[in-house]
Amino acid sequence: MIKACVFDLDNTLLDFMRMKREAVEMAVEAMIDAGLKIEKEKAIEKIFRLYEQTHIEDQHIFDRFLEVETGKVDYKILAAGIVAYRKAKTANMMLYPHVRFVLTELLRMGLKLGVISDAPRLQAWTRLAEVGLHTLFDAVITWDDTGVRKPNPEPFIAVLEKLNAKPEESIMVGDWAERDIYGAKELGMITVFARYGDTFGTQNSGADYEINDPLELIDIVKSLNKNV
Amino acid sequence: MIKACVFDLDNTLLDFMRMKREAVEMAVEAMIDAGLKIEKEKAIEKIFRLYEQTHIEDQHIFDRFLEVETGKVDYKILAAGIVAYRKAKTANMMLYPHVRFVLTELLRMGLKLGVISDAPRLQAWTRLAEVGLHTLFDAVITWDDTGVRKPNPEPFIAVLEKLNAKPEESIMVGDWAERDIYGAKELGMITVFARYGDTFGTQNSGADYEINDPLELIDIVKSLNKNV
């Protein structure tokens, strides 16, 4: 009997990379408009390479980019970039198609809902609030809550405890095979690979199920619960 | 001969308090919607009292408010507040009527334009970028640039140096008599009190001129320059 469904956040519920790409592009255009001398595509590429050097949540990426690129931080250019980034981020913070419908449908079916995210707590929660999902989940476990990332067992154990569900009664849905799927499987959860959010070109996810659309989740739950 | 015009930012160019009021109200409503048990008007009042205890730029005001009010920080509620605050801030970041017209008119008249703000550098610049004024000024001096606030002479001296203008060739426009007007007058600048932005109920500004509308600035400059 499936009692709980746990989701990764970025690239599973939220189309995170699309948001990131749009926001960085708008930021670069605004910085060029404010006086930065650089070719647009080159700047975008450099910024994403800087993200790889630290992490995708780096809150000082444009400071670092300007420092590397121009040897100093011109605040006129920095501010133009930040403001454009924020506006584009808000405008492009979107759920994948059907996510909202599926989540409310799972609630109607009596399931408890959880999130495990490796993002920092404030970022994870503000993203949920931005798309209006923050009141929907019974448990949200972020990086700050356990201090370790998936596939470590701690965040999976923490979310299941809060949802009051055993691993075998729970589904984990995620786009990152090595983290989401591997970690959940080790613990005995049922695993669903969100292929629609795959940015790695994953060949073999190792998951029990693979979905190309969040809608498919409803049938998976129904079939798992049909003989109960 | 007037060669330069220097403006305070908040409550002189930007209707800052209006933005702040709207943003805090939206944040409180969102926090109540996310589960916070408090009466709306009481919460708004408490938050503004907390701002007075630190400063109006406090970036952790809602954390502190929740801590004081509930003894802990519920990130669901915090995130709801922050997201609503940001959206309302962007929507309500507005110039006073005629400000944009007056600034471009002064540029056409050949004046150099400056800003002196006691706000932190990043906040001052992002506000300018948010209203699309960041490319208009020849000099922007923020708190971080001199490390002291008005009415200390340092920020006034710094902006005049960058504008390459003598005090007697320059106008200072501000809403805060003790800071903007006093500091500029001490240095020998011509002073204009922005009465439309006054939030203190100032009786005697001590300024050379007082204006109820930014438009009046154009005639002041014209009359000062007519015999040159």
Side-chain angles (χ1 to χ4, degrees):
Chain A
M1 175 76 182
I2 301 301
K3 292 183 177 171
C5 196
V6 180
F7 295 86
D8 167 58
L9 179 55
D10 299 324
N11 300 319
T12 297
L13 297 176
L14 290 172
D15 195 345
F16 182 74
M17 284 316 292
R18 167 188 161 155
M19 178 280 285
K20 206 79 191 178
R21 275 194 311 269
E22 294 287 333
V24 168
E25 184 176 343
M26 290 299 115
V28 166
E29 288 189 355
M31 289 192 285
I32 291 171
D33 178 64
L36 181 65
K37 305 243 170 312
I38 194 167
E39 202 244 309
K40 180 180 148 187
E41 291 305 327
K42 218 168 100 182
I44 294 172
E45 200 191 310
K46 284 188 177 186
I47 288 169
F48 275 101
R49 242 184 287 141
L50 283 176
Y51 271 129
E52 280 166 27
Q53 283 173 27
T54 51
H55 53 90
I56 197 77
E57 305 284 352
D58 191 339
Q59 302 293 306
H60 290 279
I61 195 76
F62 298 132
D63 312 43
R64 294 205 301 119
F65 167 68
L66 291 174
E67 188 72 59
V68 168
E69 200 56 30
T70 66
K72 65 182 169 96
V73 179
D74 181 332
Y75 270 71
K76 174 166 65 183
I77 292 171
L78 177 66
I82 290 175
V83 166
Y85 179 90
R86 286 182 189 159
K87 285 187 185 174
K89 195 184 76 166
T90 301
N92 289 285
M93 188 72 80
M94 274 191 253
L95 299 170
Y96 285 102
H98 300 144
V99 162
R100 197 181 300 272
F101 174 77
V102 167
L103 290 173
T104 46
E105 204 57 23
L106 293 176
L107 271 189
R108 279 194 196 91
M109 291 161 74
L111 270 72
K112 294 210 166 186
L113 302 179
V115 163
I116 311 179
S117 172
D118 287 339
R121 178 152 50 196
L122 186 62
Q123 274 72 31
W125 275 106
T126 50
R127 273 175 221 148
L128 285 173
E130 206 128 25
V131 292
L133 287 188
H134 52 302
T135 62
L136 221 86
F137 294 98
D138 302 281
V140 175
I141 301 294
T142 67
W143 185 83
D144 298 272
D145 295 305
T146 64
V148 296
R149 297 183 200 287
K150 299 172 275 185
N152 282 293
E154 288 87 340
F156 296 97
I157 293 170
V159 82
L160 292 178
E161 202 166 289
K162 277 204 172 190
L163 295 176
N164 199 20
K166 294 182 190 128
E168 64 272 21
E169 301 169 335
S170 309
I171 291 176
M172 176 72 208
V173 188
D175 69 295
W176 197 337
E178 287 78 16
R179 292 196 176 178
D180 301 320
I181 304 306
Y182 181 82
K185 210 164 185 180
E186 279 288 291
L187 218 71
M189 295 174 77
I190 293 141
T191 51
V192 177
F193 181 63
R195 187 159 288 285
Y196 59 86
D198 180 25
T199 52
F200 305 105
T202 305
Q203 295 293 321
N204 184 4
S205 71
D208 301 314
Y209 300 88
E210 295 210 351
I211 57 177
N212 290 308
D213 185 317
L215 263 185
E216 298 170 46
L217 210 50
I218 293 173
D219 281 341
I220 292 173
V221 175
K222 277 185 181 162
S223 78
L224 285 168
N225 281 354
K226 78 162 176 262
N227 295 323
V228 203
Chain B
M1 177 75 183
I2 300 301
K3 292 183 178 170
C5 195
V6 181
F7 295 85
D8 167 58
L9 179 56
D10 299 324
N11 300 320
T12 297
L13 297 176
L14 291 172
D15 194 345
F16 182 75
M17 284 315 293
R18 167 188 161 155
M19 176 281 284
K20 206 81 192 178
R21 275 193 312 268
E22 294 288 333
V24 168
E25 184 176 341
M26 291 300 113
V28 166
E29 287 189 357
M31 289 192 285
I32 290 171
D33 179 64
L36 181 65
K37 304 243 172 312
I38 193 168
E39 202 244 309
K40 180 180 148 187
E41 292 304 327
K42 218 167 99 182
I44 295 173
E45 200 190 311
K46 283 187 178 188
I47 289 169
F48 275 100
R49 242 183 286 140
L50 283 176
Y51 271 128
E52 280 166 26
Q53 281 172 29
T54 51
H55 53 90
I56 198 76
E57 305 283 352
D58 190 340
Q59 302 293 306
H60 291 279
I61 195 78
F62 299 133
D63 313 41
R64 295 206 301 118
F65 167 67
L66 291 174
E67 188 71 60
V68 169
E69 199 56 32
T70 65
K72 66 184 168 96
V73 177
D74 180 333
Y75 270 71
K76 174 165 65 183
I77 293 172
L78 177 66
I82 290 175
V83 167
Y85 178 90
R86 286 181 188 159
K87 286 187 183 172
K89 195 183 77 166
T90 301
N92 289 284
M93 189 72 80
M94 273 190 253
L95 298 170
Y96 285 101
H98 300 143
V99 161
R100 198 180 301 271
F101 173 77
V102 167
L103 290 173
T104 45
E105 205 56 24
L106 293 175
L107 272 189
R108 278 196 198 90
M109 291 161 74
L111 270 71
K112 295 211 166 186
L113 302 179
V115 163
I116 310 177
S117 172
D118 287 340
R121 179 154 47 196
L122 186 63
Q123 274 71 32
W125 275 106
T126 51
R127 274 177 220 147
L128 284 173
E130 206 129 24
V131 292
L133 287 189
H134 51 302
T135 62
L136 222 84
F137 294 97
D138 302 280
V140 176
I141 300 295
T142 67
W143 185 84
D144 297 272
D145 295 303
T146 64
V148 296
R149 296 184 201 288
K150 299 172 276 184
N152 281 293
E154 287 86 342
F156 296 97
I157 292 170
V159 82
L160 292 179
E161 203 167 289
K162 278 205 172 190
L163 295 175
N164 199 19
K166 295 184 188 126
E168 63 271 22
E169 299 168 334
S170 309
I171 290 176
M172 175 73 207
V173 188
D175 70 294
W176 197 336
E178 287 77 16
R179 293 197 176 176
D180 302 320
I181 304 305
Y182 181 81
K185 210 164 183 180
E186 279 289 291
L187 218 71
M189 294 173 78
I190 291 141
T191 51
V192 176
F193 181 63
R195 186 159 288 284
Y196 59 84
D198 180 25
T199 52
F200 304 106
T202 305
Q203 294 293 321
N204 185 3
S205 71
D208 300 315
Y209 300 87
E210 296 210 349
I211 57 176
N212 291 308
D213 185 318
L215 264 186
E216 298 170 46
L217 210 50
I218 294 173
D219 280 341
I220 292 172
V221 174
K222 278 186 182 161
S223 78
L224 286 168
N225 282 354
K226 77 164 175 262
N227 295 321
V228 203

